[in-house]
Amino acid sequence: MKIVKHADELKKEIFGAKNTGEKIGFVPTMGALHAGHKLLVERAIAENDFCIVSIFVNPTQFNNKTDLEKYPRNLDVDILLLEKTGCDLVFVPNIEDMYALEEMNIPFQFDFGGLDQVMEGKFRPGHFNGVVQIVSKLFNLVQPDKAYFGEKDFQQLSIIHRMVKIMNYKVDIIDCPIVREPSGLAMSSRNERLSTEERKKASEISKVLFESRNFVNSFTPDELSQWVIGEVNAVKGLKVEYFEIVDIESLQIMRTWSKPTVGCITVFCGAVRLIDNIRYIIN
Ligand code: PAF
């Protein structure tokens, strides 16, 4: 596996792969890789000729300085994990490779069509600007045929689909299902920051989400939201930031079950902010 640190070196590798007609599969990450990432990488390897993973903790998508500082970083362990998968190249740029100095102070603007006004966007202003900014830069460099993203970050995935459509990127975005620990807890790099006790409490989030599916025929979306928030908040140490049942396309809040819906939740478990979601199937 090649470890590439600079954009110029990456461009040469991409030029070589494209020249021999290889299909490029790409998995962008911020590192602290877990079994969920591993599945994305394995899928990218299986479905393409050349697999590239990027590891870059992108400062422009953090609206909270402490969150950026505390974001787990395990580069050596990540590289070992990637080597075992058979990944071809890992791109580990530094900030100067991805951003010109002046860019860090000018907010990046993108027309999200309202997708950024709800849920994460409401609580993390500017977050999705930073995500689109870095993912578009990475797509320009890597020129992937397919790029793999986890459905845990449901809103991020919707925004990436919009970005690809609006900016005419020639890349297939592959939505990959949430990977869960045996307890049901959605896998996340942030789980590393949970104590054993907190991890147990955090697993209640998915239990409540799965149980809530039993009530779709008797509750309205609003009633179901209240129920989920109440049940999660009843676990000592968990505090819901939001739970919203939204249309899977527009991400607008649903008042009835008239369209396919997803329930998205963000919960603080101590100081750690966790997200998860669940699809509701209406009979
Ligand atoms: O989901 C993530 O890990 C990040 O938001 C991404 C897509 C790698 C962009 O920094």
Side-chain angles (χ1 to χ4, degrees), residues 35-215:
H37 291 115
K38 189 164 168 264
L39 280 179
L40 301 187
V41 176
E42 284 168 350
R43 190 157 169 197
I45 292 170
E47 295 177 359
N48 302 276
D49 306 307
F50 196 73
C51 172
I52 301 183
V53 174
S54 63
I55 298 180
F56 180 66
V57 181
N58 173 36
T60 67
Q61 71 187 76
F62 286 82
N63 57 323
N64 177 325
K65 213 170 152 247
T66 318
D67 194 22
L68 172 61
E69 277 160 16
K70 293 214 162 142
Y71 200 83
R73 291 161 173 88
N74 308 327
L75 190 57
D76 294 344
V77 181
D78 289 347
I79 286 177
L80 279 179
L81 179 145
L82 290 175
E83 257 165 2
K84 284 192 194 137
T85 61
C87 166
D88 297 289
L89 187 152
V90 55
F91 180 48
V92 196
N94 53 34
I95 293 190
E96 295 74 40
D97 269 290
M98 298 314 295
Y99 291 110
L101 200 60
E102 60 271 25
E103 270 183 295
M104 304 299 286
N105 304 319
I106 308 164
F108 178 82
Q109 299 294 341
F110 178 73
D111 172 12
F112 292 92
L115 293 178
D116 65 324
Q117 297 300 309
V118 293
M119 304 190 291
E120 288 300 283
K122 247 187 334 203
F123 288 92
R124 301 179 73 188
H127 166 65
F128 289 118
N129 292 78
V131 170
V132 168
Q133 184 177 29
I134 192 64
V135 174
S136 59
K137 279 172 184 277
L138 289 166
F139 279 4
N140 289 339
L141 280 172
V142 175
Q143 300 171 52
D145 293 279
K146 290 185 178 160
Y148 297 77
F149 291 85
E151 284 180 345
K152 181 173 74 67
D153 298 292
F154 192 86
Q155 191 172 5
Q156 167 171 285
L157 195 45
S158 303
I159 281 172
I160 299 291
H161 277 288
R162 179 173 171 87
M163 177 192 102
V164 165
K165 194 167 158 204
I166 288 196
M167 292 164 89
N168 293 316
Y169 279 111
K170 289 196 180 8
V171 53
D172 286 338
I173 301 300
I174 312 294
D175 303 4
C176 301
I178 299 177
V179 182
R180 297 184 180 279
E181 295 187 359
S183 67
L185 176 64
M187 288 204 180
S188 162
S189 304
R190 288 191 161 86
N191 294 355
E192 280 189 25
R193 293 178 53 206
L194 298 171
S195 66
T196 313
E197 187 59 27
E198 286 175 331
R199 208 171 255 260
K200 231 162 100 190
K201 286 181 178 169
S203 68
E204 293 301 318
I205 302 167
S206 60
K207 291 198 182 99
V208 172
L209 292 184
F210 283 118
E211 197 184 341
S212 71
R213 276 186 167 157
N214 299 330
F215 303 119

Side-chain angles (χ1 to χ4, degrees), residues 207-263:
K207 291 198 182 99
V208 172
L209 292 184
F210 283 118
E211 197 184 341
S212 71
R213 276 186 167 157
N214 299 330
F215 303 119
V216 285
N217 292 321
S218 37
F219 285 178
T220 63
D222 191 43
E223 286 164 345
L224 195 57
S225 297
Q226 294 314 315
W227 183 84
V228 167
I229 293 169
E231 291 294 304
V232 176
N233 280 340
V235 180
K236 204 163 167 269
L238 297 185
K239 179 88 190 80
V240 176
E241 188 168 58
Y242 67 81
F243 174 68
E244 283 177 8
I245 297 178
V246 298
D247 171 1
I248 58 165
E249 304 245 312
S250 67
L251 302 187
Q252 297 308 301
I253 292 180
M254 294 293 293
R255 302 284 170 212
T256 64
W257 299 108
S258 55
K259 287 188 189 161
T261 57
V262 58

